[in-house]
mmCIF file with all atom_site columns, all heavy atoms in Angstrom:
data_model
loop_
_atom_site.group_PDB
_atom_site.id
_atom_site.type_symbol
_atom_site.label_atom_id
_atom_site.label_alt_id
_atom_site.label_comp_id
_atom_site.label_asym_id
_atom_site.label_entity_id
_atom_site.label_seq_id
_atom_site.pdbx_PDB_ins_code
_atom_site.Cartn_x
_atom_site.Cartn_y
_atom_site.Cartn_z
_atom_site.occupancy
_atom_site.B_iso_or_equiv
_atom_site.pdbx_formal_charge
_atom_site.auth_seq_id
_atom_site.auth_comp_id
_atom_site.auth_asym_id
_atom_site.auth_atom_id
_atom_site.pdbx_PDB_model_num
ATOM 1  N N   . SER U 1 232 ? 4.413   0.881  16.920 1.00 95.00 ? 232 SER U N   1
ATOM 2  C CA  . SER U 1 232 ? 5.547   1.774  16.660 1.00 95.00 ? 232 SER U CA  1
ATOM 3  C C   . SER U 1 232 ? 5.167   3.243  16.691 1.00 95.00 ? 232 SER U C   1
ATOM 4  O O   . SER U 1 232 ? 6.028   4.107  16.538 1.00 95.00 ? 232 SER U O   1
ATOM 5  C CB  . SER U 1 232 ? 6.186   1.428  15.314 1.00 95.00 ? 232 SER U CB  1
ATOM 6  O OG  . SER U 1 232 ? 5.335   1.819  14.232 1.00 95.00 ? 232 SER U OG  1
ATOM 7  N N   . GLY U 1 233 ? 3.866   3.534  16.857 1.00 96.00 ? 233 GLY U N   1
ATOM 8  C CA  . GLY U 1 233 ? 3.445   4.917  16.998 1.00 96.00 ? 233 GLY U CA  1
ATOM 9  C C   . GLY U 1 233 ? 2.628   5.485  15.856 1.00 96.00 ? 233 GLY U C   1
ATOM 10 O O   . GLY U 1 233 ? 2.199   6.644  15.918 1.00 96.00 ? 233 GLY U O   1
ATOM 11 N N   . VAL U 1 234 ? 2.389   4.703  14.814 1.00 97.00 ? 234 VAL U N   1
ATOM 12 C CA  . VAL U 1 234 ? 1.563   5.174  13.694 1.00 97.00 ? 234 VAL U CA  1
ATOM 13 C C   . VAL U 1 234 ? 0.097   5.064  14.081 1.00 97.00 ? 234 VAL U C   1
ATOM 14 O O   . VAL U 1 234 ? -0.348  4.041  14.608 1.00 97.00 ? 234 VAL U O   1
ATOM 15 C CB  . VAL U 1 234 ? 1.843   4.360  12.421 1.00 97.00 ? 234 VAL U CB  1
ATOM 16 C CG1 . VAL U 1 234 ? 0.936   4.799  11.275 1.00 97.00 ? 234 VAL U CG1 1
ATOM 17 C CG2 . VAL U 1 234 ? 3.302   4.485  12.011 1.00 97.00 ? 234 VAL U CG2 1
ATOM 18 N N   . ALA U 1 235 ? -0.668  6.140  13.813 1.00 98.00 ? 235 ALA U N   1
ATOM 19 C CA  . ALA U 1 235 ? -2.103  6.141  14.101 1.00 98.00 ? 235 ALA U CA  1
ATOM 20 C C   . ALA U 1 235 ? -2.886  5.848  12.813 1.00 98.00 ? 235 ALA U C   1
ATOM 21 O O   . ALA U 1 235 ? -2.408  6.142  11.703 1.00 98.00 ? 235 ALA U O   1
ATOM 22 C CB  . ALA U 1 235 ? -2.536  7.484  14.677 1.00 98.00 ? 235 ALA U CB  1
ATOM 23 N N   . PHE U 1 236 ? -4.072  5.283  12.962 1.00 98.00 ? 236 PHE U N   1
ATOM 24 C CA  . PHE U 1 236 ? -4.891  4.932  11.816 1.00 98.00 ? 236 PHE U CA  1
ATOM 25 C C   . PHE U 1 236 ? -6.308  5.448  11.976 1.00 98.00 ? 236 PHE U C   1
ATOM 26 O O   . PHE U 1 236 ? -6.891  5.377  13.053 1.00 98.00 ? 236 PHE U O   1
ATOM 27 C CB  . PHE U 1 236 ? -4.937  3.410  11.635 1.00 98.00 ? 236 PHE U CB  1
ATOM 28 C CG  . PHE U 1 236 ? -3.630  2.810  11.205 1.00 98.00 ? 236 PHE U CG  1
ATOM 29 C CD1 . PHE U 1 236 ? -2.683  2.459  12.152 1.00 98.00 ? 236 PHE U CD1 1
ATOM 30 C CD2 . PHE U 1 236 ? -3.363  2.613  9.869  1.00 98.00 ? 236 PHE U CD2 1
ATOM 31 C CE1 . PHE U 1 236 ? -1.480  1.910  11.767 1.00 98.00 ? 236 PHE U CE1 1
ATOM 32 C CE2 . PHE U 1 236 ? -2.144  2.062  9.465  1.00 98.00 ? 236 PHE U CE2 1
ATOM 33 C CZ  . PHE U 1 236 ? -1.206  1.713  10.408 1.00 98.00 ? 236 PHE U CZ  1
ATOM 34 N N   . LYS U 1 237 ? -6.846  5.980  10.882 1.00 98.00 ? 237 LYS U N   1
ATOM 35 C CA  . LYS U 1 237 ? -8.262  6.325  10.792 1.00 98.00 ? 237 LYS U CA  1
ATOM 36 C C   . LYS U 1 237 ? -8.824  5.602  9.581  1.00 98.00 ? 237 LYS U C   1
ATOM 37 O O   . LYS U 1 237 ? -8.653  6.037  8.442  1.00 98.00 ? 237 LYS U O   1
ATOM 38 C CB  . LYS U 1 237 ? -8.436  7.842  10.666 1.00 98.00 ? 237 LYS U CB  1
ATOM 39 C CG  . LYS U 1 237 ? -8.108  8.613  11.940 1.00 98.00 ? 237 LYS U CG  1
ATOM 40 C CD  . LYS U 1 237 ? -8.419  10.095 11.807 1.00 98.00 ? 237 LYS U CD  1
ATOM 41 C CE  . LYS U 1 237 ? -8.207  10.833 13.120 1.00 98.00 ? 237 LYS U CE  1
ATOM 42 N NZ  . LYS U 1 237 ? -9.176  10.429 14.167 1.00 98.00 ? 237 LYS U NZ  1
ATOM 43 N N   . LEU U 1 238 ? -9.456  4.448  9.838  1.00 98.00 ? 238 LEU U N   1
ATOM 44 C CA  . LEU U 1 238 ? -9.994  3.632  8.762  1.00 98.00 ? 238 LEU U CA  1
ATOM 45 C C   . LEU U 1 238 ? -11.458 3.974  8.516  1.00 98.00 ? 238 LEU U C   1
ATOM 46 O O   . LEU U 1 238 ? -12.113 4.618  9.344  1.00 98.00 ? 238 LEU U O   1
ATOM 47 C CB  . LEU U 1 238 ? -9.851  2.155  9.115  1.00 98.00 ? 238 LEU U CB  1
ATOM 48 C CG  . LEU U 1 238 ? -8.433  1.674  9.440  1.00 98.00 ? 238 LEU U CG  1
ATOM 49 C CD1 . LEU U 1 238 ? -8.431  0.180  9.730  1.00 98.00 ? 238 LEU U CD1 1
ATOM 50 C CD2 . LEU U 1 238 ? -7.456  2.018  8.317  1.00 98.00 ? 238 LEU U CD2 1
ATOM 51 N N   . ALA U 1 239 ? -11.966 3.540  7.364  1.00 97.00 ? 239 ALA U N   1
ATOM 52 C CA  . ALA U 1 239 ? -13.344 3.843  6.971  1.00 97.00 ? 239 ALA U CA  1
ATOM 53 C C   . ALA U 1 239 ? -13.624 5.338  7.126  1.00 97.00 ? 239 ALA U C   1
ATOM 54 O O   . ALA U 1 239 ? -14.676 5.751  7.619  1.00 97.00 ? 239 ALA U O   1
ATOM 55 C CB  . ALA U 1 239 ? -14.327 3.012  7.803  1.00 97.00 ? 239 ALA U CB  1
ATOM 56 N N   . THR U 1 240 ? -12.641 6.125  6.681  1.00 97.00 ? 240 THR U N   1
ATOM 57 C CA  . THR U 1 240 ? -12.696 7.579  6.858  1.00 97.00 ? 240 THR U CA  1
ATOM 58 C C   . THR U 1 240 ? -12.462 8.282  5.528  1.00 97.00 ? 240 THR U C   1
ATOM 59 O O   . THR U 1 240 ? -11.566 7.917  4.768  1.00 97.00 ? 240 THR U O   1
ATOM 60 C CB  . THR U 1 240 ? -11.653 8.038  7.886  1.00 97.00 ? 240 THR U CB  1
ATOM 61 O OG1 . THR U 1 240 ? -11.912 7.405  9.145  1.00 97.00 ? 240 THR U OG1 1
ATOM 62 C CG2 . THR U 1 240 ? -11.675 9.544  8.053  1.00 97.00 ? 240 THR U CG2 1
ATOM 63 N N   . LYS U 1 241 ? -13.267 9.287  5.273  1.00 96.00 ? 241 LYS U N   1
ATOM 64 C CA  . LYS U 1 241 ? -13.190 10.047 4.025  1.00 96.00 ? 241 LYS U CA  1
ATOM 65 C C   . LYS U 1 241 ? -12.618 11.434 4.274  1.00 96.00 ? 241 LYS U C   1
ATOM 66 O O   . LYS U 1 241 ? -12.981 12.097 5.254  1.00 96.00 ? 241 LYS U O   1
ATOM 67 C CB  . LYS U 1 241 ? -14.593 10.179 3.413  1.00 96.00 ? 241 LYS U CB  1
ATOM 68 C CG  . LYS U 1 241 ? -14.667 11.003 2.133  1.00 96.00 ? 241 LYS U CG  1
ATOM 69 C CD  . LYS U 1 241 ? -16.107 11.106 1.646  1.00 96.00 ? 241 LYS U CD  1
ATOM 70 C CE  . LYS U 1 241 ? -16.208 11.945 0.392  1.00 96.00 ? 241 LYS U CE  1
ATOM 71 N NZ  . LYS U 1 241 ? -17.621 12.044 -0.065 1.00 96.00 ? 241 LYS U NZ  1
#
Side-chain angles (χ1 to χ4, degrees):
S232 71
V234 177
F236 291 86
K237 290 185 175 293
L238 304 182
T240 300
K241 177 182 179 180

